[in-house]
Short mmCIF file of all heavy atoms in Angstrom, two decimals:
data_model
loop_
_atom_site.label_atom_id
_atom_site.label_comp_id
_atom_site.label_asym_id
_atom_site.label_seq_id
_atom_site.Cartn_x
_atom_site.Cartn_y
_atom_site.Cartn_z
N SER A 7 -20.78 -4.82 -3.85
CA SER A 7 -20.89 -4.16 -5.14
C SER A 7 -19.64 -4.34 -5.97
O SER A 7 -19.70 -4.54 -7.16
CB SER A 7 -21.16 -2.67 -4.93
OG SER A 7 -20.13 -2.09 -4.16
N ASP A 8 -18.47 -4.28 -5.33
CA ASP A 8 -17.25 -4.43 -6.11
C ASP A 8 -16.15 -5.14 -5.36
O ASP A 8 -15.01 -5.08 -5.72
CB ASP A 8 -16.75 -3.06 -6.59
CG ASP A 8 -16.60 -2.07 -5.45
OD1 ASP A 8 -16.73 -2.49 -4.30
OD2 ASP A 8 -16.36 -0.89 -5.74
N TYR A 9 -16.49 -5.81 -4.26
CA TYR A 9 -15.48 -6.61 -3.58
C TYR A 9 -16.16 -7.70 -2.77
O TYR A 9 -17.36 -7.69 -2.54
CB TYR A 9 -14.59 -5.77 -2.67
CG TYR A 9 -15.31 -5.00 -1.60
CD1 TYR A 9 -15.73 -5.63 -0.43
CD2 TYR A 9 -15.56 -3.64 -1.74
CE1 TYR A 9 -16.37 -4.94 0.56
CE2 TYR A 9 -16.22 -2.94 -0.75
CZ TYR A 9 -16.61 -3.59 0.39
OH TYR A 9 -17.27 -2.90 1.38
N GLN A 18 -19.69 -21.64 9.31
CA GLN A 18 -19.80 -23.08 9.43
C GLN A 18 -19.07 -23.75 8.29
O GLN A 18 -19.06 -23.27 7.18
CB GLN A 18 -21.29 -23.50 9.42
CG GLN A 18 -22.07 -22.93 10.59
CD GLN A 18 -21.50 -23.37 11.92
OE1 GLN A 18 -21.13 -24.53 12.07
NE2 GLN A 18 -21.43 -22.47 12.88
N GLY A 29 -13.73 -19.72 17.45
CA GLY A 29 -12.79 -20.61 18.11
C GLY A 29 -11.85 -19.84 19.00
O GLY A 29 -11.98 -18.63 19.16
N GLN A 62 -11.38 -9.44 -4.00
CA GLN A 62 -11.04 -8.35 -3.09
C GLN A 62 -11.61 -8.69 -1.73
O GLN A 62 -12.73 -9.19 -1.61
CB GLN A 62 -11.61 -7.03 -3.60
CG GLN A 62 -10.92 -6.51 -4.85
CD GLN A 62 -11.50 -5.17 -5.28
OE1 GLN A 62 -12.50 -5.12 -5.99
NE2 GLN A 62 -10.89 -4.10 -4.84
N ILE A 91 -1.96 -11.53 -3.38
CA ILE A 91 -1.19 -11.84 -2.17
C ILE A 91 -2.12 -12.34 -1.07
O ILE A 91 -1.85 -13.34 -0.41
CB ILE A 91 -0.42 -10.59 -1.69
CG1 ILE A 91 0.68 -10.23 -2.69
CG2 ILE A 91 0.18 -10.83 -0.30
CD1 ILE A 91 1.33 -8.88 -2.44
N GLU A 93 -5.18 -13.60 -1.38
CA GLU A 93 -5.90 -14.82 -1.75
C GLU A 93 -4.99 -16.05 -1.83
O GLU A 93 -5.36 -17.14 -1.38
CB GLU A 93 -6.59 -14.62 -3.10
CG GLU A 93 -7.41 -15.81 -3.56
CD GLU A 93 -8.06 -15.57 -4.91
OE1 GLU A 93 -7.34 -15.49 -5.92
OE2 GLU A 93 -9.29 -15.43 -4.94
N SER A 94 -3.79 -15.89 -2.38
CA SER A 94 -2.95 -17.06 -2.63
C SER A 94 -1.80 -17.24 -1.65
O SER A 94 -1.25 -18.34 -1.53
CB SER A 94 -2.38 -16.99 -4.06
OG SER A 94 -1.45 -15.94 -4.18
N LYS A 118 6.52 -10.17 -2.30
CA LYS A 118 5.77 -9.58 -3.41
C LYS A 118 5.24 -8.20 -3.01
O LYS A 118 5.25 -7.26 -3.81
CB LYS A 118 4.63 -10.50 -3.84
CG LYS A 118 5.11 -11.83 -4.42
CD LYS A 118 4.02 -12.63 -5.09
CE LYS A 118 2.92 -13.03 -4.19
NZ LYS A 118 1.99 -14.00 -4.80
N ALA A 119 4.77 -8.08 -1.76
CA ALA A 119 4.27 -6.80 -1.29
C ALA A 119 5.39 -5.75 -1.26
O ALA A 119 5.17 -4.57 -1.58
CB ALA A 119 3.66 -6.96 0.10
N TYR A 126 5.80 0.83 -6.97
CA TYR A 126 4.61 1.62 -7.32
C TYR A 126 4.18 2.62 -6.26
O TYR A 126 3.20 3.35 -6.46
CB TYR A 126 3.44 0.67 -7.61
CG TYR A 126 3.73 -0.32 -8.70
CD1 TYR A 126 3.85 -1.69 -8.41
CD2 TYR A 126 3.92 0.08 -10.02
CE1 TYR A 126 4.14 -2.61 -9.40
CE2 TYR A 126 4.21 -0.84 -11.01
CZ TYR A 126 4.32 -2.18 -10.71
OH TYR A 126 4.59 -3.09 -11.69
N ASP A 131 3.08 6.27 1.77
CA ASP A 131 2.17 5.24 1.25
C ASP A 131 2.82 3.87 1.31
O ASP A 131 2.18 2.88 1.71
CB ASP A 131 1.78 5.56 -0.20
CG ASP A 131 0.70 6.63 -0.28
OD1 ASP A 131 0.19 7.04 0.78
OD2 ASP A 131 0.38 7.06 -1.40
N ALA A 144 0.51 -11.45 9.89
CA ALA A 144 0.44 -11.94 11.27
C ALA A 144 -0.92 -12.59 11.53
O ALA A 144 -1.00 -13.63 12.21
CB ALA A 144 0.68 -10.80 12.25
N ARG A 149 -3.82 -19.00 11.92
CA ARG A 149 -4.73 -19.99 11.36
C ARG A 149 -4.75 -21.28 12.19
O ARG A 149 -3.73 -21.85 12.52
CB ARG A 149 -4.31 -20.32 9.93
CG ARG A 149 -5.21 -21.30 9.20
CD ARG A 149 -4.68 -21.51 7.77
NE ARG A 149 -5.59 -22.31 6.96
CZ ARG A 149 -5.58 -23.64 6.91
NH1 ARG A 149 -4.68 -24.30 7.62
NH2 ARG A 149 -6.44 -24.28 6.15
N TYR A 160 -9.18 -17.79 12.38
CA TYR A 160 -8.14 -16.77 12.48
C TYR A 160 -8.54 -15.80 13.60
O TYR A 160 -9.69 -15.75 14.02
CB TYR A 160 -8.02 -15.97 11.18
CG TYR A 160 -7.56 -16.74 9.97
CD1 TYR A 160 -8.48 -17.39 9.16
CD2 TYR A 160 -6.22 -16.82 9.64
CE1 TYR A 160 -8.06 -18.09 8.03
CE2 TYR A 160 -5.79 -17.52 8.52
CZ TYR A 160 -6.73 -18.16 7.72
OH TYR A 160 -6.32 -18.86 6.61
N ASN A 173 -11.94 4.36 21.24
CA ASN A 173 -12.52 3.53 22.32
C ASN A 173 -13.91 3.02 21.96
O ASN A 173 -14.66 2.58 22.84
CB ASN A 173 -12.57 4.31 23.63
CG ASN A 173 -13.49 5.53 23.55
OD1 ASN A 173 -13.96 5.91 22.47
ND2 ASN A 173 -13.76 6.14 24.69
N MET A 181 -21.83 -7.88 24.60
CA MET A 181 -22.89 -8.84 24.91
C MET A 181 -22.39 -10.27 24.72
O MET A 181 -22.62 -11.15 25.56
CB MET A 181 -24.11 -8.59 24.03
CG MET A 181 -25.28 -9.51 24.34
SD MET A 181 -26.58 -9.48 23.06
CE MET A 181 -27.12 -7.78 23.17
N SER A 250 13.44 -4.01 -11.22
CA SER A 250 12.60 -4.32 -12.38
C SER A 250 11.88 -5.64 -12.11
O SER A 250 12.34 -6.46 -11.30
CB SER A 250 13.43 -4.43 -13.65
OG SER A 250 14.23 -5.61 -13.63
N LYS A 270 9.16 -25.99 -3.24
CA LYS A 270 9.71 -25.15 -4.31
C LYS A 270 8.73 -24.99 -5.48
O LYS A 270 8.59 -23.89 -6.03
CB LYS A 270 11.03 -25.73 -4.81
CG LYS A 270 12.14 -25.72 -3.75
CD LYS A 270 13.42 -26.33 -4.29
CE LYS A 270 14.50 -26.43 -3.21
NZ LYS A 270 15.05 -25.10 -2.84
#
Side-chain angles (χ1 to χ4, degrees):
S7 58
D8 53 8
Y9 58 80
Q18 298 301 319
Q62 289 182 275
I91 292 169
E93 182 181 68
S94 68
K118 295 191 299 190
Y126 303 112
D131 281 354
R149 182 178 187 273
Y160 296 89
N173 64 350
M181 183 193 297
S250 71
K270 295 179 184 289

